[in-house]
Amino acid sequence: MSEYDILKKLQMSLLNPIPKQKPKSGRFWKSDRAQFRSLRKDKGNRRPFEHRMKLKEEKEKNREIASEMREQKNKRKEDIRRRMEENKKKKEENQLKSEIFQVVKNPNKIKRMKKRDLAKRDLLGKI
């Protein structure tokens, strides 16, 4: 063999380091589809250090702004929830205050009362 042949084989082995194997389908006569293997992803030129640091700072700033926005949103929701609970309590208190009730003097009437009326009577004791 001449030097040219040896260099040619060496070059081919370096260019195609993956040896051809038996295909999964078993169809050995099918040719290799090199379309995906031939694509090479280029990272491009490396950015300067200052530019990378600027990008990093921007990303950090954006992250902080996003977290602040999330916190504000959660705070608003919490305020609304708290106000709703307060309004509900006030409404219940006002309803209890505005109820008209009679004092039952005859204990036999209590026995004849329905459960609903008894529950109302027990609520009055909470005021």
Side-chain angles (χ1 to χ4, degrees), residues 4-50:
Y4 180 76
D5 292 338
I6 294 171
L7 286 174
K8 194 74 168 169
K9 283 187 178 181
L10 183 63
Q11 186 181 13
M12 290 303 286
S13 66
L14 290 175
L15 287 176
N16 192 8
I18 303 167
K20 185 165 172 149
Q21 298 172 343
K22 182 181 174 188
K24 188 176 182 180
S25 64
R27 298 178 178 153
F28 58 88
W29 60 89
K30 294 278 186 175
S31 60
D32 243 359
R33 289 174 58 186
Q35 63 196 28
F36 299 113
R37 235 182 259 156
S38 64
L39 287 176
R40 296 207 178 187
K41 293 184 173 87
D42 188 16
K43 290 184 180 178
N45 293 337
R46 188 174 174 145
R47 295 183 176 126
F49 180 74
E50 293 83 17

Side-chain angles (χ1 to χ4, degrees), residues 1-114:
M1 279 192 180
S2 67
E3 287 182 35
Y4 180 76
D5 292 338
I6 294 171
L7 286 174
K8 194 74 168 169
K9 283 187 178 181
L10 183 63
Q11 186 181 13
M12 290 303 286
S13 66
L14 290 175
L15 287 176
N16 192 8
I18 303 167
K20 185 165 172 149
Q21 298 172 343
K22 182 181 174 188
K24 188 176 182 180
S25 64
R27 298 178 178 153
F28 58 88
W29 60 89
K30 294 278 186 175
S31 60
D32 243 359
R33 289 174 58 186
Q35 63 196 28
F36 299 113
R37 235 182 259 156
S38 64
L39 287 176
R40 296 207 178 187
K41 293 184 173 87
D42 188 16
K43 290 184 180 178
N45 293 337
R46 188 174 174 145
R47 295 183 176 126
F49 180 74
E50 293 83 17
H51 191 259
R52 282 183 286 160
M53 293 307 291
K54 192 183 288 184
L55 287 174
K56 189 176 181 181
E57 288 173 8
E58 279 182 32
K59 195 184 285 185
E60 189 67 32
K61 212 179 285 182
N62 290 340
R63 196 177 292 136
E64 287 175 10
I65 291 170
S67 66
E68 285 178 18
M69 289 173 72
R70 256 186 258 116
E71 287 174 11
Q72 288 175 355
K73 186 178 176 184
N74 291 340
K75 189 177 179 183
R76 277 195 301 257
K77 280 186 179 180
E78 189 63 36
D79 289 342
I80 291 171
R81 201 174 295 132
R82 188 175 37 78
R83 265 189 277 132
M84 283 174 62
E85 287 176 9
E86 288 175 1
N87 290 344
K88 200 173 185 180
K89 283 181 184 177
K90 282 182 186 176
K91 191 174 182 180
E92 287 176 358
E93 288 174 7
N94 291 340
Q95 193 174 8
L96 285 174
K97 286 179 186 176
S98 68
E99 278 186 355
I100 300 170
F101 61 94
Q102 285 181 318
V103 177
V104 180
K105 294 179 181 172
N106 188 359
N108 291 331
K109 279 187 180 179
I110 295 174
K111 292 178 183 174
R112 286 180 289 180
M113 280 183 184
K114 293 180 180 175

